[in-house]
């Protein structure tokens, strides 16, 4: 670092000091520096390659889509930033590895947790809901101290149900590769690599033509198939059910208190255009018995290939705020360190070991301070500090924070989030 720039590509951080090009957060996320000294996203590099069939080739909305080619060393590489947002912190904090809080960065040996993943029964019968007729799906809430995740029953080809993490932060749904192999799901394309923060793993696209969420049939689609630590074994999650599926219902109610998910009717068409957001939309019919405590405008980002993400602004001390992905799969919420420093969030002196696609890493923790969404305070808690700026967001609003509101409704069609829904 320096008080003055040392040459082309040096950048100025929030502390007012200059740093060399290789230390820029974008440099660690596949971005590249052009001859003009500016940083550009991976898909704009001249060396990018054609993606495998069924995967989006370039961004079709704000941020990066779930599947863009990046320059590499001759091998095919594919970044799934929105899905990885969930894999990095969502399913990983409690479900993939043991949650370990340590001091002075002395990390003990990593072991797999024994979490109470519920038995979901054997019923895979389906019935298409009538228009305007809400369907309730049992959704056990798994808690391990502070971390929280929601499990939903998913049947594939009439088999199951299998426990999937309900993950609104996953722009595209994922299935464990062992289960995909056992079920004989046909592959599409030659596969590639999905990347997390500092690590990657091999992935394949597979096609599921007949599947369901609870008793509600789902339209056949492509799924990401990958081997994720802590997935695929007995008593472990078997995949992620993402916003690509949930958005087709227009809206969804997630009731943490009563452990159920409510769908307002049958599936609708794919979401094809971004929704800018509204803080005055009415609550969707059949998903509430009264007025919500808070309504927040949310941007619904849509990516080529069917990926969907829902994002909203979260406020912090010192008039700082940032765009967060609403990520029910995130067992612990997260904040980008740039925002954490600007808001002067205090470090806890502890770190947490989490698993991602292809690796495990340790992240420091900070206190949230007085944070809020839509003007409504969120209970103070610890947040994981992890660089997410290259993904176009400043954090993840996870189920640990969302569960404090009891029940929430996500309206993908109107671009609205309702918190504290009766």
């Amino acid at each position: 670092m320096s008080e003055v720039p040392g040459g082309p590509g040096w950048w100025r951080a929030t502390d007012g000091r200059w740093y060399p090009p290789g230390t820029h957060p974008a440099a660690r996320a596949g971005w590249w520096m052009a001859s003009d000294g500016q940083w550009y996203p991976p898909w704009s590099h001249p060396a990018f390659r054609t993606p495998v069939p069924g995967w989006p080739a370039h961004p079709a909305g704000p941020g990066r889509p779930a599947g863009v080619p990046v320059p590499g060393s001759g091998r095919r590489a594919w970044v799934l930033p929105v899905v990885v947002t969930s894999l990095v912190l969502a399913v990983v904090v409690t479900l993939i590895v043991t949650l370990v809080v340590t001091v002075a960065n002395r990390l003990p040996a990593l072991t797999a947790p024994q979490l109470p993943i519920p038995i979901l029964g054997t019923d895979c019968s389906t019935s298409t809901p009538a228009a305007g007729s809400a369907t309730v799906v049992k959704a056990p809430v798994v808690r391990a101290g502070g971390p929280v995740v929601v499990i939903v029953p998913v049947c594939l080809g009439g088999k199951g149900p299998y426990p999937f993490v309900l993950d609104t932060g996953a722009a595209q749904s994922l299935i464990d590769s062992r289960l995909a192999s056992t079920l004989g799901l046909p592959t599409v394309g030659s596969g590639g690599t999905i990347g997390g923060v500092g690590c990657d793993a091999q992935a394949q696209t597979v096609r599921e033509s007949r599947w369901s969420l609870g008793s509600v049939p789902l339209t056949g689609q492509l799924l990401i198939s990958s081997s994720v630590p802590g997935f695929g074994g007995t008593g472990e999650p078997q995949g992620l059910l993402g916003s690509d599926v949930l958005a087709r219902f227009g809206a969804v109610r997630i009731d943490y208190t009563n452990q159920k998910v409510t769908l307002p009717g049958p599936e609708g068409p794919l979401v094809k255009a971004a929704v800018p957001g509204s803080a005055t939309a009415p609550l969707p019919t059949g998903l509430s018995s009264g007025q919500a405590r808070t309504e927040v405008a949310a941007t619904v980002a849509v990516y080529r290939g069917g990926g969907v993400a829902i994002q909203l602004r979260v406020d912090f001390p010192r008039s700082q705020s940032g765009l967060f992905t609403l990520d029910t799969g995130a067992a612990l919420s997260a904040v980008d360190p740039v925002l954490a420093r600007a808001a002067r969030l205090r470090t806890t002196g502890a770190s947490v070991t989490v698993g991602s696609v292809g690796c495990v890493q340790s992240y420091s923790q900070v206190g949230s301070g007085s944070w809020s969404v839509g003007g409504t305070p969120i209970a103070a808690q610890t947040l994981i500090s992890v660089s997410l700026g290259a993904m176009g967001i400043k954090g993840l609003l996870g189920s640990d924070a969302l569960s404090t509101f009891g029940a929430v409704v996500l309206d993908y069609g109107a671009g609205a989030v309702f918190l504290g829904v009766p």
Side-chain angles (χ1 to χ4, degrees), residues 381-399:
Q381 63 174 75
T382 57
L383 305 172
I384 292 177
S385 178
V386 59
S387 295
L388 296 167
M391 297 177 183
I393 59 173
K394 291 297 183 182
L396 306 174
L397 188 63
S399 278

Side-chain angles (χ1 to χ4, degrees), residues 298-309:
T299 299
V300 179
V302 179
Y303 307 107
R304 183 165 298 178
V308 179

Side-chain angles (χ1 to χ4, degrees), residues 137-142 150-153 166 255-256 258-261:
V137 178
K138 292 183 179 179
V141 177
V142 178
V150 180
I151 302 296
V152 291
L166 184 71
D255 190 334
Y256 290 93
N258 296 303
Q259 303 190 57
K260 59 185 180 182
V261 169

Side-chain angles (χ1 to χ4, degrees), residues 188-258:
V188 178
S190 57
T193 300
I194 55 175
V197 177
C199 42
D200 57 23
Q202 294 301 304
Q204 177 68 60
T205 308
V206 298
R207 185 181 300 279
E208 174 54 67
S209 58
R210 185 168 65 92
W211 63 322
S212 59
L213 169 58
S215 63
V216 180
L218 301 174
T219 302
Q221 66 173 73
L222 299 178
L223 301 173
I224 299 167
S225 173
S226 185
S227 178
V228 181
F231 271 46
T234 302
E236 296 176 338
Q238 303 293 321
L240 306 173
L241 190 73
S243 278
D244 55 337
V245 173
L246 298 174
R248 296 200 295 264
F249 291 92
V252 60
R253 174 190 170 107
I254 304 168
D255 190 334
Y256 290 93
T257 301
N258 296 303

